[in-house]
Amino acid sequence: MLTAGGAVYLIWFSPVFAIQTVEVEGGELAPGINFNEAIGKNLIFYKPSFNLENAPQAAFVELDKRYLRRTVKFTLGAKERYAIWCFQLKAECFWIDEEGRAFAPAPDIKGPLILRLVRDESERELPMGERVLEKNLFKNLKAAFVLLEDLDIPVKEFKIENLKFREAVAQTSGPTIYFSLQDDPSFGKTVVEQLRSSGEWSAVNYLDLRVPGRAYYSQ
């Protein structure tokens, strides 16, 4: 039977609980992280010293401790590709996640209709992992995506011509639609439904939803 002192030695100082091997699944999502830092550490008390701030492509990391094999396994999951964000002047495109953070290079898709493609004409530098827009502005842009999806309006692309105006323009298969990034555009759903029911929608050239609760359009 182990004494208290023997138990302490076995747990803290004995190589019995020292991590000998590290396994990584999805390591390509975090090329800058040294997972082998775990080797030699105490398996019972080991906690990773790194975080996902240095791995913008990873959505999560799971740690599995395998005591009999004295091994730890890291499993990383990839972020969902929520939209493509293209900086036109720099000819650079990025995948962004649902929080609006750039996490990987993306193709510049042209030609076929695609939802959630944003062309940004600002001259900003955007480090990987940073937000493409302030949190509240991106929230309203997402609301615009959802609005057009719910209304089944095909969109070729969104444009942000000058970020200081905090506006976005949706180029659709029908009218051009203007949004304010400072306001929730959800009220526009009722407007479109009324125009459709009256038969006027097919004749609309543009729809302006930049004033909260008010819609302007031309035919």
Side-chain angles (χ1 to χ4, degrees):
M1 183 173 181
L2 286 174
T3 64
V8 170
Y9 173 81
L10 180 64
I11 294 173
W12 284 97
F13 303 108
S14 170
V16 170
F17 291 106
I19 297 171
Q20 292 188 343
T21 57
V22 173
E23 298 177 1
V24 182
E25 183 177 327
E28 69 279 0
L29 302 173
I33 289 180
N34 177 23
F35 296 98
N36 288 326
E37 64 154 28
I39 293 178
K41 302 289 180 64
N42 188 294
L43 183 58
I44 296 175
F45 302 104
Y46 172 69
K47 292 182 179 180
S49 62
F50 57 82
N51 56 54
L52 294 184
E53 291 181 2
N54 298 321
Q57 296 187 57
F60 64 86
V61 58
E62 295 178 348
L63 174 63
D64 181 19
K65 297 181 179 182
R66 301 176 177 182
Y67 290 92
L68 294 178
R69 295 171 55 190
R70 287 181 284 181
T71 297
V72 292
K73 180 179 179 181
F74 297 95
T75 302
L76 287 81
K79 285 186 175 179
E80 178 184 354
R81 295 176 172 182
Y82 182 73
I84 295 177
W85 197 280
C86 292
F87 290 94
Q88 292 298 94
L89 298 182
K90 297 182 179 296
E92 293 180 334
C93 296
F94 300 95
W95 288 108
I96 63 172
D97 62 19
E98 285 192 300
E99 294 184 346
R101 296 183 185 276
F103 66 87
D108 186 352
I109 299 177
K110 298 178 180 178
L113 296 178
I114 180 171
L115 193 63
R116 296 178 183 170
L117 169 63
V118 181
R119 298 195 181 278
D120 185 337
E121 298 188 4
S122 65
E123 299 183 28
R124 295 177 291 154
E125 292 287 344
L126 187 74
M128 204 70 76
E130 294 296 316
R131 293 181 183 274
V132 292
L133 290 175
E134 296 174 20
K135 189 174 181 179
N136 64 313
L137 301 184
F138 189 71
K139 177 182 178 181
N140 291 323
L141 179 61
K142 287 178 68 176
F145 291 155
V146 171
L147 172 66
L148 299 182
E149 288 175 346
D150 287 348
L151 290 168
D152 195 25
I153 298 177
V155 179
K156 180 179 180 181
E157 62 188 26
F158 278 75
K159 287 186 177 180
I160 298 178
E161 297 178 351
N162 192 328
L163 190 55
K164 73 178 183 180
F165 296 134
R166 300 188 171 192
E167 296 175 352
V169 182
Q171 304 290 343
T172 81
S173 58
T176 299
I177 304 178
Y178 297 87
F179 296 94
S180 168
L181 297 177
Q182 299 183 99
D183 303 294
D184 188 329
S186 301
F187 70 92
K189 184 175 183 179
T190 300
V191 175
V192 173
E193 289 174 340
Q194 290 176 346
L195 288 170
R196 282 176 168 171
S197 64
S198 68
E200 297 179 86
W201 177 249
S202 60
V204 173
N205 293 317
Y206 76 82
L207 176 63
D208 191 337
L209 301 176
R210 289 175 290 187
V211 178
R214 294 179 178 273
Y216 303 91
Y217 62 94
S218 73
Q219 295 179 310

